[in-house]
Amino acid sequence: MAQTNRRTSRRSIYLKLRQMVLTLELPPGAALSENELAASLGVSRTPVRESLILLAQDGLVQIFPKIGSFVSRVDPAQVADAQFLREAVELASLDALPPDPDPSVITELRDNLARQQRPGLGLEEFFELDEAFHHGLIRLSGHGNVWTTVAAAKGHLDRARRLGLHENVSPAVFADQHREIFDAVVGGDLASARTAMRTHLRAVFSDIERIRAHSPELFATGTSSVPVRRNVVVWE
């Protein structure tokens, strides 16, 4: 029983820290203190240390011996790889749509789109609706379970998308794109749905270039960089 509780604790701490990284609560490049994280989460250092190792395997944390652990900076190459996977899956799901899509999922998507238009919607609320919308479209194809694989691969992509949301005054432009995709799907216009989906998913690349122009420290460079511990830890 104790071993089971330990695994459960490590899993819950891992998921909590992963969410803090993905939502930018722990921003790219941030130094991570095991002691501080353990204190804030009310646990010992052991599950925190184990969770950081798992996050390093995910590519979301970097651990440098004798220097420390850091949230990895957003890697445009990994964003591109995740985007390639996601686009391939989502376009394939459009091709696999049945002649009469599940009406209950269509109703869910209509409700989702309505909630995306609510005044004062927070960015994280919108992000959750965005995820549910895209998952819903894949469910229409009968391959909803593949979303788990896509979600696991897009940590760097999700951080880039959130940075893009923070750059925009309102997420309304993305909500409008969702509406365009949905209308094409229910109207049976597969070609327009594919074009709109491709344009929508690739918007993250222009977001990256715009953000990197004024905040390059958030992004990994083509050459490996290692933080240096002086009076404070800095990246070089």
Side-chain angles (χ1 to χ4, degrees):
M1 180 65 71
Q3 185 68 18
T4 299
N5 290 339
R6 182 172 177 273
R7 286 197 300 267
T8 301
S9 174
R10 184 180 69 174
R11 178 67 178 172
S12 64
I13 298 304
Y14 161 75
L15 292 175
K16 174 61 177 176
L17 291 176
R18 179 181 171 87
Q19 185 68 4
M20 292 170 71
V21 170
L22 295 183
T23 60
L24 310 178
E25 183 178 347
L26 293 172
L32 300 171
S33 164
E34 291 181 7
N35 287 332
E36 292 177 3
L37 289 172
S40 67
L41 296 173
V43 297
S44 69
R45 288 178 57 188
T46 298
V48 171
R49 184 182 306 114
E50 292 172 341
S51 296
L52 292 181
I53 292 172
L54 292 176
L55 289 170
Q57 294 172 358
D58 293 342
L60 296 175
V61 164
Q62 290 176 287
I63 300 174
F64 299 96
K66 300 182 181 180
I67 298 175
S69 299
F70 300 81
V71 177
S72 65
R73 293 187 285 182
V74 177
D75 186 341
Q78 292 195 48
V79 171
D81 287 344
Q83 174 59 26
F84 178 82
L85 172 64
R86 181 179 186 183
E87 183 175 309
V89 169
E90 297 216 38
L91 292 181
S93 73
L94 293 177
D95 291 338
L97 287 174
D100 298 306
D102 187 333
S104 65
V105 179
I106 292 292
T107 297
E108 287 180 29
L109 289 170
R110 290 188 192 279
D111 178 65
N112 180 296
L113 289 169
R115 285 184 286 155
Q116 288 181 35
Q117 298 288 350
R118 286 205 312 261
L121 189 67
L123 293 184
E124 276 306 311
E125 292 177 282
F126 179 81
F127 193 91
E128 291 178 8
L129 289 170
D130 179 294
E131 292 283 280
F133 175 78
H134 286 275
H135 186 197
L137 288 178
I138 294 177
R139 286 168 57 209
L140 280 180
S141 73
H143 299 286
N145 289 337
V146 79
W147 183 256
T148 302
T149 301
V150 174
K154 61 189 184 77
H156 282 263
L157 174 59
D158 283 349
R159 290 193 295 162
R161 290 168 58 212
R162 282 184 168 93
L163 288 171
L165 283 174
H166 283 285
E167 284 279 300
N168 288 279
V169 175
S170 166
V173 61
F174 302 112
D176 290 342
Q177 291 171 356
H178 289 157
R179 170 63 67 179
E180 181 182 3
I181 295 166
F182 176 78
D183 288 346
V185 166
V186 296
D189 188 350
L190 179 59
S192 293
R194 286 177 59 88
T195 298
M197 178 68 81
R198 187 179 291 109
T199 299
H200 173 65
L201 294 179
R202 293 184 181 182
V204 69
F205 295 125
S206 57
D207 287 341
I208 286 176
E209 293 309 310
R210 187 174 64 256
I211 299 166
R212 187 157 53 176
H214 61 72
S215 299
E217 72 280 359
L218 298 175
F219 297 88
T221 59
T223 58
S224 59
S225 56
V226 178
V228 178
R229 186 174 292 280
R230 296 173 182 163
N231 291 330
V232 294
V233 176
V234 297
W235 286 85
E236 292 190 341

